[in-house]
């Protein structure tokens, strides 16, 4: 007989006939199938764990990618905000410069207008003073010659300039006092 290594030794045969195990018969089939099922279950569990770990790694990597994208988007938003802020500051500066220029122009125009009004006022006061002086002169002339023997010059300003009496109020005041004294003495 041929001996097989995977079968039990012929001395293990018990009994008279010793035909408890035949060549080609698999008495360990149920144990082997059970062991294969356990191995397959272990493999499936191992694959599940590996898949879970891979999913966790993918999840961690996905989280890292999302975090990186969020960080990048935040940086882009900050850059856009900074750019917008710079643009707004530039525009505000331009508007302030334009406003300051308009204000300076307006102040200059106001000063020119004030100077013009001051000159007009000065001219008006000067004209009023000359009219007052002329009136005073006529009063003095009438007081000196009530009967009109001394004719009035036609142009009082030329007369005042030629006599150099009425161009200064102090001299006019002295002249008026002198004339009043002269009238009283006569």
């Amino acid at each position: 007989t041929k001996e097989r290594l995977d079968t039990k030794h012929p001395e293990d045969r018990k009994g008279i006939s010793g035909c408890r195990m035949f060549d080609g018969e698999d008495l360990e089939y149920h144990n082997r199938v059970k062991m294969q099922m356990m191995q397959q279950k272990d493999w499936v569990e191992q694959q599940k764990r590996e898949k879970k770990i891979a999913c966790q790694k993918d999840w961690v990597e996905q989280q890292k990618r999302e975090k990186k994208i969020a960080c990048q988007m935040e940086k882009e938003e900050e850059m856009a905000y900074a750019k917008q802020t710079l643009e707004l500051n530039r525009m505000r500066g331009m508007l302030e410069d334009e406003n300051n220029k308009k204000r300076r122009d307006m102040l200059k125009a106001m000063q020119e207008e004030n100077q013009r009004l001051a000159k007009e006022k000065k001219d008006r006061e000067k004209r009023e003073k000359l009219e007052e002086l002329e009136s005073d002169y006529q009063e003095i002339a009438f007081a000196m010659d009530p009967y009109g023997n001394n004719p009035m010059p036609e142009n009082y300003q030329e007369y005042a300039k030629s006599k150099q009496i009425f161009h200064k109020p102090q001299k006019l005041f002295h002249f008026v006092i002198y004339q009043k004294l002269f009238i009283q003495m006569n």
Side-chain angles (χ1 to χ4, degrees):
T1 71
K2 290 184 181 178
E3 275 190 42
R4 289 184 48 188
L5 296 174
D6 63 339
T7 61
K8 292 186 178 180
H9 200 271
E11 278 118 27
D12 289 341
R13 296 180 192 161
K14 295 185 180 174
I16 300 173
S17 69
C19 292
R20 293 192 176 206
M21 187 171 144
F22 297 101
D23 283 339
E25 185 180 5
D26 192 6
L27 296 178
E28 298 292 322
Y29 174 76
H30 294 295
N31 290 336
R32 191 175 63 250
V33 167
K34 193 175 187 181
M35 192 170 74
Q36 285 176 349
M37 287 176 69
M38 284 176 44
Q39 274 183 336
Q40 190 174 15
K41 186 177 178 181
D42 286 342
W43 289 343
V44 167
E45 289 297 322
Q46 185 179 359
Q47 286 178 347
K48 283 183 182 179
R49 282 191 306 271
E50 288 174 358
K51 193 172 187 180
K52 187 176 180 181
I53 290 171
C55 284
Q56 287 177 346
K57 284 182 181 178
D58 287 344
W59 182 80
V60 168
E61 288 177 11
Q62 180 68 23
Q63 291 296 318
K64 285 180 182 178
R65 281 193 298 269
E66 288 176 2
K67 188 175 181 181
K68 187 176 181 181
I69 290 170
C71 199
Q72 185 177 6
M73 288 177 65
E74 186 177 329
K75 284 181 182 178
E76 289 175 0
E77 286 177 6
E78 287 176 4
M79 287 174 51
Y81 179 75
K83 185 177 179 181
Q84 182 183 16
T85 303
L86 286 173
E87 187 65 24
L88 286 174
N89 286 340
R90 186 183 66 79
M91 289 177 66
R92 189 185 76 210
M94 287 173 44
L95 289 174
E96 285 178 356
D97 291 344
E98 185 178 333
N99 187 26
N100 289 338
K101 184 182 181 298
K102 286 181 180 178
R103 184 174 283 160
R104 281 191 307 270
D105 293 343
M106 190 171 65
L107 286 175
K108 185 177 180 182
M110 190 185 309
Q111 285 177 346
E112 289 173 357
E113 181 66 17
N114 287 342
Q115 288 174 351
R116 185 186 65 78
L117 290 173
K119 187 175 187 282
E120 284 180 9
K121 182 180 178 185
K122 187 177 178 182
D123 291 344
R124 186 180 65 242
E125 288 174 352
K126 190 175 184 180
R127 189 174 54 249
E128 288 172 358
K129 191 167 200 145
L130 282 175
E131 288 172 0
E132 185 181 336
L133 288 175
E134 187 174 343
S135 173
D136 289 345
Y137 172 74
Q138 288 176 357
E139 191 177 317
I140 292 170
F142 180 76
M144 289 175 65
D145 190 17
Y147 301 109
N149 294 335
N150 191 6
M152 279 291 281
E154 289 185 20
N155 192 345
Y156 166 74
Q157 291 177 354
E158 288 180 18
Y159 177 77
K161 285 181 184 177
S162 68
K163 299 293 182 182
Q164 295 184 358
I165 295 175
F166 300 112
H167 69 280
K168 290 187 179 176
Q170 189 177 21
K171 286 187 178 184
L172 174 65
F173 179 72
H174 292 152
F175 180 74
V176 170
I177 292 175
Y178 177 77
Q179 291 298 324
K180 285 183 181 180
L181 287 173
F182 182 76
I183 291 173
Q184 288 176 358
M185 287 174 38
N186 287 336

